[in-house]
Amino acid sequence: MHTIYKTLRSNSYSVPCELCSIGGLCIPMLLNNSLSDVLERKKSYLKDEIVVKSKTPFKKFYIVHSGALKTFVTTPENTEQINGFYLPGDIVGLDSISTKVYNSNIQTLGNTLLCELYYDELMSLIDSNKDVRDLIFKLLSTDIYNYQKLILCYSQKKSEERLATFIYSLYLRYQQRGHTSLNIKLAMSRADIANYLGLTIETVSRNLTKLQEQNILTAKGKFIYINKLEALIEICN
Amino acid sequence: MHTIYKTLRSNSYSVPCELCSIGGLCIPMLLNNSLSDVLERKKSYLKDEIVVKSKTPFKKFYIVHSGALKTFVTTPENTEQINGFYLPGDIVGLDSISTKVYNSNIQTLGNTLLCELYYDELMSLIDSNKDVRDLIFKLLSTDIYNYQKLILCYSQKKSEERLATFIYSLYLRYQQRGHTSLNIKLAMSRADIANYLGLTIETVSRNLTKLQEQNILTAKGKFIYINKLEALIEICN
DNA sequence: CGTAGCATTGAGTGCTATCAACCCCTGTGG
DNA sequence: CCACAGGGGTTGATAGCACTCAATGCTACG
């Protein structure tokens, strides 16, 4: 037992993989035998820490072990635009394969543990292991599919529907990771949600109270409890 | 000469690859030696023809040779939502690698020639040819990057900025294919543009006239001439 | 030449942004 | 233990942008 821990365990601040909350969805675990040497073990980051600056050379993917990340770009007017949230099990950096640089800034939303997966080594692994190849293709393709759905959300939906879709998608993502609870703890602030959804803080807040008045959910700070899942889905369309 | 034509030439309704307007950007041409046997040659489609229905099994990618495509999904209320336009040289179906079905309907915007690229055969080619592997990864990754930019456009920009961004992106895409002209011929209707941008036909029309009043461009039916490229870019932010 | 479909223009309404005030929770220092 | 300050979040009033509905103009095609 101790020896297993030793091989899988990483630097300080990290936890053994056996206790990782992600379980079967963790890419490193899925491909444990072949990937273990490609992965630097987990590294710890503090809340609001910048992990990567936009436009710096792309060398490795980051996989969220615990905590959460946001990615954002800064517009010419120096405003921040969030284009993604990443929860445990999510991989960041797929869009950098073509550009060779990170296209966004990557920042932690709370204290966070990240696994690192080197691009070059992953590529050579792909040539020797069809499972890895298929997995990476699937990840890329899923990313595209998700972005398509997100675009649909933006281009068609009103503020209430956008927020409902956002909350429901968080619920689904947690569910995929084995957390079937209707309780959701938001990793991000209202400002981050508003920014991401292309709305203002006030509109997000107003729609949250609106959803509470309909008794669809209960929001208390960063905690959200879904009372009527069906009704929430109904609003998402 | 005749024999070359014979090998590259396809079914009826198609043109020889040597005369293809796409030139070096055509994937089949780029990977000519290895891919020629993977590709069924060009097939012809009429205007507004449905090439693929959503949810049908995914077997092959489509590459636009000439003409143009749109992809769209139908919402539960039976309204159409366009999520992509595809110009000569573009490949359609990357998002289907993970889902194994086509996620959108694919429809022609005018008379169109399409090359077909079988998924299974491409995959085996990837194992034997690193260039193919890298190309496909790059295509997938570029797709993701483009979607990220599109999402940014939707979530932040006002109608005028969205339209400007749309026109400018068309200009850039044609430029990448060697058409450096400031003249653009729209393959799609105002309704399609509006649908894609999450706006109404009226708003698109009003913004077009607004851009003309500023003398930034001239719009005449499906033809758009960019008078002040710098000013157009300025509006895009 | 006439019709059908696409595109433009106009008037009025509604949704979301903006600006501003207030609330609540947390942490800090007296 | 309380007072206070500060940040995040909520609520309210107003303004502006984009949608809706409606009418008219344009163009392609038989």
Side-chain angles (χ1 to χ4, degrees), chain B residues 15-230:
Chain B
V15 296
C17 282
E18 289 86 345
L19 302 180
C20 172
S21 60
I22 305 156
L25 269 163
C26 178
I27 300 170
M29 286 300 277
L30 270 176
L31 303 165
N32 197 16
N33 295 330
S34 46
L35 266 187
S36 58
D37 50 340
V38 175
L39 279 161
E40 282 197 24
R41 304 299 333 138
K42 299 168 199 69
K43 285 188 182 169
S44 176
Y45 295 84
L46 296 176
K47 179 172 156 65
D48 296 329
E49 206 172 330
I50 300 277
V51 178
V52 156
K53 279 200 174 181
S54 181
K55 303 302 169 201
T56 55
F58 166 65
K59 286 281 179 291
K60 53 195 175 190
F61 303 103
Y62 293 91
I63 301 162
V64 181
H65 175 70
S66 65
L69 295 174
K70 68 175 176 184
T71 54
F72 65 95
V73 295
T74 47
T75 62
E77 304 89 50
N78 221 34
T79 61
E80 178 177 308
Q81 169 61 41
I82 298 168
N83 53 30
F85 295 113
Y86 296 84
L87 305 178
D90 289 342
I91 182 167
V92 191
L94 294 172
D95 57 303
S96 300
I97 295 174
S98 69
T99 55
K100 311 284 192 204
V101 296
Y102 293 100
N103 301 304
S104 311
N105 303 283
I106 305 175
Q107 189 173 12
T108 60
L109 291 169
N111 296 341
T112 300
L113 290 175
L114 298 179
C115 287
E116 301 184 347
L117 180 58
Y118 279 88
Y119 170 72
D120 285 339
E121 298 183 289
L122 182 66
M123 280 299 131
S124 43
L125 198 60
I126 280 171
D127 296 328
S128 61
N129 185 329
K130 285 211 197 331
D131 288 339
V132 177
R133 184 200 74 185
D134 291 342
L135 180 67
I136 301 302
F137 271 116
K138 186 166 174 142
L139 280 173
L140 280 160
S141 186
T142 302
D143 235 38
I144 292 173
Y145 183 52
N146 284 333
Y147 277 124
Q148 283 181 0
K149 286 193 292 186
L150 190 57
I151 285 164
L152 232 108
C153 175
Y154 280 131
S155 70
Q156 289 221 310
K157 295 182 179 172
K158 297 202 182 303
S159 63
E160 188 185 13
E161 299 166 339
R162 288 195 203 185
L163 184 62
T165 306
F166 178 73
I167 293 170
Y168 180 53
S169 76
L170 280 183
Y171 167 77
L172 285 180
R173 285 167 75 179
Y174 279 120
Q175 196 180 49
Q176 283 165 9
R177 277 151 190 76
H179 302 82
T180 53
S181 166
L182 290 165
N183 264 313
I184 294 173
K185 178 169 189 307
L186 300 175
M188 67 296 286
S189 67
R190 300 283 192 276
D192 281 342
I193 296 171
N195 184 308
Y196 176 72
L197 292 177
L199 303 169
T200 58
I201 302 173
E202 295 94 326
T203 302
V204 168
S205 184
R206 271 185 258 269
N207 279 300
L208 264 181
T209 53
K210 203 168 156 189
L211 289 170
Q212 286 185 90
E213 283 165 4
Q214 297 171 268
N215 200 31
I216 290 172
L217 55 80
T218 310
K220 214 168 172 57
K222 293 214 181 295
F223 290 94
I224 290 190
Y225 183 77
I226 302 173
N227 297 317
K228 298 180 188 167
L229 185 60
E230 293 306 319

Side-chain angles (χ1 to χ4, degrees), chain A residues 1-9:
Chain A
M1 197 61 175
H2 185 266
T3 50
I4 297 172
Y5 269 41
K6 201 172 168 188
T7 52
L8 290 175
R9 170 187 286 279

Side-chain angles (χ1 to χ4, degrees), chain A residues 158-159 199-200 202-203 206:
Chain A
K158 298 201 181 304
S159 62
L199 303 170
T200 58
E202 294 94 327
T203 301
R206 271 185 257 271

